[in-house]
Amino acid sequence: MTKLTTLYQHGTLALLVPGLLAGTLTMGDLLKHGDTGIGTGEGLDGELIILDGTPYQVDSDGNVNVVPDSLNMPFANSHFANYSPLAELENLSQTDLEEQLISLTQASNTFLSIKITGNFSAVKTRAVKKSTPPFQTLAQTAKHQSIFTRDQVEGTLISYYSPALFDGAAVAGFHNHFLSADKTFGGHLLDFHLDKGHVAYQLFDTLEQHLPVDNRDYMGHDFSLDNIQDDIHEAEGLKSS
């Protein structure tokens, strides 16, 4: 029986920091743990968003592709959707929206997912260009990103919220990905304004953390040498210059 309060996570954001970007889980295996999710491909190959069991990739050229089960990933989240209505919200910046979400859910100390369907404006997304071995660090690789914008767009935001206690395993706060309703635009959200949307949420009481123990580079790496939190925050919020 599927547990609808479990969030599955493969890898950690911390392992991306030193450039451990090899794919260590296939999309086919990830989909066994959920029909909704986000992630990135091997070498930070674009941005992934899974909706209704279909995995989409926004690549560095801005194309939205349905990816095969054979796609390999270093990091991903998934869960089986069982969202509950939370609110109808409108005219909110990203910062104001995220503050309201914490206030409405009263769930700052656990994992949750947010799904917003509606109309957005001033949307800025990014997708990183796939790199190849020998992989550079997260900070270096994330500089090779493409920025995409839409003045107005209808679509779906999928977000995972992680408590501050887990900063490093994930990024503390909200990790937002977006896909337009017409499946032609999306990516990792850098900034947006919610014009009007239906907000739903799903709380998790269990984090199923899966680690790539068969990967020699991961098992032999000394993470005490890395500036994990600063590098994650810089890469997650990296804007175009």
Side-chain angles (χ1 to χ4, degrees):
M1 181 177 178
T2 300
K3 189 175 181 183
L4 298 175
T5 56
T6 296
L7 172 62
Y8 180 83
Q9 179 170 294
H10 172 70
T12 67
L13 283 180
L15 67 79
L16 303 181
V17 168
L20 299 173
L21 308 182
T24 47
L25 185 78
T26 67
M27 179 59 74
D29 285 335
L30 180 67
L31 291 174
K32 295 175 183 177
H33 301 276
D35 55 18
T36 304
I38 64 175
T40 188
E42 181 172 88
L44 297 188
D45 185 13
E47 302 288 345
L48 303 172
I49 181 169
I50 304 168
L51 291 174
D52 301 319
T54 300
Y56 301 93
Q57 175 209 48
V58 181
D59 66 25
S60 61
D61 292 323
N63 302 310
V64 178
N65 314 298
V66 176
V67 298
D69 284 350
S70 59
L71 179 80
N72 281 303
M73 300 163 290
F75 175 82
N77 289 116
S78 70
H79 76 283
F80 288 99
N82 187 35
Y83 290 96
S84 299
L86 182 64
E88 296 284 342
L89 297 177
E90 59 184 77
N91 192 27
L92 291 169
S93 68
Q94 178 178 352
T95 299
D96 290 342
L97 170 65
E98 292 178 353
E99 289 178 356
Q100 282 218 28
L101 292 175
I102 291 300
S103 177
L104 289 168
T105 60
Q106 292 293 296
S108 61
N109 290 327
T110 193
F111 290 86
L112 70 139
S113 180
I114 296 290
K115 182 178 182 179
I116 304 177
T117 53
N119 297 302
F120 300 77
S121 59
V123 177
K124 180 184 287 188
T125 67
R126 69 104 184 272
V128 176
K129 183 177 180 180
K130 182 180 181 179
S131 62
T132 56
F135 296 118
Q136 294 182 309
T137 65
L138 174 65
Q140 292 168 325
T141 305
K143 291 178 181 178
H144 301 287
Q145 64 177 348
S146 299
I147 303 293
F148 310 109
T149 61
R150 288 290 188 276
D151 292 334
Q152 301 281 339
V153 62
E154 180 182 356
T156 300
L157 178 154
I158 293 291
S159 181
Y160 288 100
Y161 172 86
S162 301
L165 176 64
F166 290 87
D167 200 15
V171 60
F174 291 94
H175 186 168
N176 306 313
H177 284 207
F178 183 81
L179 184 66
S180 65
D182 62 8
K183 311 293 193 299
T184 64
F185 169 81
H188 173 96
L189 275 166
L190 295 174
D191 199 13
F192 65 90
H193 186 275
L194 176 64
D195 292 349
K196 187 174 183 179
H198 171 75
V199 183
Y201 76 111
Q202 187 170 347
L203 289 176
F204 305 112
D205 61 19
T206 302
L207 172 67
E208 184 179 347
Q209 176 69 70
H210 182 256
L211 297 173
V213 295
D214 293 330
N215 182 269
R216 182 180 301 176
D217 290 337
Y218 169 75
M219 293 297 284
H221 185 75
D222 184 356
F223 285 95
S224 69
L225 303 176
D226 301 320
N227 188 8
I228 291 172
Q229 293 183 347
D230 287 348
D231 283 359
I232 287 174
H233 295 168
E234 179 181 354
E236 287 299 302
L238 196 62
K239 306 292 196 297
S240 60
S241 58

